[in-house]
Amino acid sequence: EMKVFLSTDAIHTFDYAWKNAFAGFVGFFLNFASLNCVSNTGPTTYAIVGSLNKVSVALLGWFLFAAKITPQTWFFIAVSMSGGFLYSYAKIAAGKKKTKA
Protein backbone atom coordinates (compact mmCIF):
# COMPACT_ATOMS: atom_id res chain seq x y z
CA GLU A 1 0.00 0.00 0.00
CA MET A 2 2.83 2.38 0.75
CA LYS A 3 4.31 1.81 -2.72
CA VAL A 4 0.99 2.69 -4.33
CA PHE A 5 0.71 5.81 -2.18
CA LEU A 6 4.20 7.00 -3.05
CA SER A 7 3.81 6.28 -6.76
CA THR A 8 0.43 7.95 -7.24
CA ASP A 9 0.98 11.42 -8.67
CA ALA A 10 -2.58 12.64 -8.12
CA ILE A 11 -2.17 12.75 -4.34
CA HIS A 12 1.10 14.66 -4.38
CA THR A 13 -0.37 17.91 -5.65
CA PHE A 14 -1.04 21.23 -3.98
CA ASP A 15 -4.76 20.84 -4.69
CA TYR A 16 -4.90 17.53 -2.82
CA ALA A 17 -2.93 18.89 0.13
CA TRP A 18 -5.10 22.04 0.28
CA LYS A 19 -8.35 20.06 0.25
CA ASN A 20 -7.09 17.70 2.99
CA ALA A 21 -5.91 20.60 5.14
CA PHE A 22 -9.26 22.37 4.71
CA ALA A 23 -11.19 19.19 5.59
CA GLY A 24 -9.09 18.80 8.74
CA PHE A 25 -9.66 22.45 9.68
CA VAL A 26 -13.44 22.16 9.24
CA GLY A 27 -13.52 18.84 11.10
CA PHE A 28 -11.62 20.34 14.02
CA PHE A 29 -14.24 23.06 14.50
CA LEU A 30 -17.09 20.66 13.83
CA ASN A 31 -15.94 18.70 16.88
CA PHE A 32 -16.20 21.87 18.97
CA ALA A 33 -19.73 22.45 17.66
CA SER A 34 -20.65 18.87 18.61
CA LEU A 35 -19.23 19.31 22.11
CA ASN A 36 -21.21 22.53 22.48
CA CYS A 37 -24.41 20.70 21.49
CA VAL A 38 -23.71 17.93 23.99
CA SER A 39 -23.05 20.42 26.79
CA ASN A 40 -26.29 22.31 26.07
CA THR A 41 -28.62 19.36 25.53
CA GLY A 42 -27.05 16.27 27.05
CA PRO A 43 -25.47 13.18 25.52
CA THR A 44 -28.71 11.20 25.17
CA THR A 45 -30.49 13.95 23.26
CA TYR A 46 -27.45 14.40 21.03
CA ALA A 47 -27.39 10.66 20.27
CA ILE A 48 -31.13 10.58 19.51
CA VAL A 49 -30.88 13.55 17.17
CA GLY A 50 -27.89 11.91 15.48
CA SER A 51 -29.81 8.70 14.90
CA LEU A 52 -32.93 10.52 13.68
CA ASN A 53 -30.73 12.41 11.25
CA LYS A 54 -30.26 9.12 9.40
CA VAL A 55 -34.00 8.97 8.69
CA SER A 56 -33.91 12.26 6.82
CA VAL A 57 -30.77 11.21 4.95
CA ALA A 58 -32.42 7.94 3.85
CA LEU A 59 -35.56 9.73 2.69
CA LEU A 60 -33.57 12.42 0.92
CA GLY A 61 -31.51 9.76 -0.86
CA TRP A 62 -34.71 8.01 -1.89
CA PHE A 63 -36.18 11.25 -3.23
CA LEU A 64 -33.11 12.74 -4.93
CA PHE A 65 -31.39 9.64 -6.28
CA ALA A 66 -34.35 7.31 -6.74
CA ALA A 67 -32.65 4.83 -4.43
CA LYS A 68 -34.64 1.70 -3.72
CA ILE A 69 -35.92 1.36 -0.16
CA THR A 70 -36.87 -2.18 0.76
CA PRO A 71 -39.72 -3.06 3.13
CA GLN A 72 -37.08 -3.94 5.72
CA THR A 73 -35.58 -0.46 5.39
CA TRP A 74 -39.02 1.14 5.78
CA PHE A 75 -39.47 -0.92 8.94
CA PHE A 76 -36.16 0.31 10.36
CA ILE A 77 -37.03 3.91 9.48
CA ALA A 78 -40.35 3.49 11.31
CA VAL A 79 -38.63 1.97 14.36
CA SER A 80 -36.12 4.82 14.44
CA MET A 81 -38.83 7.46 14.18
CA SER A 82 -40.88 5.72 16.86
CA GLY A 83 -37.89 5.73 19.19
CA GLY A 84 -37.37 9.43 18.56
CA PHE A 85 -41.01 10.22 19.25
CA LEU A 86 -41.01 8.09 22.39
CA TYR A 87 -37.89 9.84 23.67
CA SER A 88 -39.41 13.26 22.90
CA TYR A 89 -42.61 12.31 24.72
CA ALA A 90 -40.63 11.13 27.75
CA LYS A 91 -38.60 14.36 27.81
CA ILE A 92 -41.75 16.48 27.61
CA ALA A 93 -43.44 14.44 30.35
CA ALA A 94 -40.37 14.77 32.59
CA GLY A 95 -40.32 18.52 31.98
CA LYS A 96 -44.00 18.80 32.96
CA LYS A 97 -43.32 16.86 36.20
CA LYS A 98 -40.52 19.28 37.09
CA THR A 99 -42.78 22.24 36.36
CA LYS A 100 -45.55 20.92 38.62
CA ALA A 101 -43.18 20.05 41.47
Side-chain angles (χ1 to χ4, degrees), residues 4 24 47:
V4 173

Side-chain angles (χ1 to χ4, degrees), residues 27-95:
F28 179 77
F29 287 103
L30 183 61
N31 282 330
F32 280 113
S34 295
L35 288 172
N36 185 35
C37 289
V38 169
S39 69
N40 287 327
T41 61
T44 306
T45 302
Y46 183 76
I48 294 294
V49 169
S51 67
L52 288 177
N53 158 318
K54 308 304 182 266
V55 172
S56 60
V57 169
L59 295 176
L60 195 62
W62 172 64
F63 179 73
L64 291 177
F65 304 114
K68 183 180 178 187
I69 298 182
T70 65
Q72 183 181 14
T73 305
W74 282 116
F75 173 75
F76 290 133
I77 288 173
V79 168
S80 181
M81 289 178 66
S82 298
F85 291 137
L86 183 63
Y87 177 75
S88 298
Y89 175 77
K91 277 295 243 193
I92 291 169

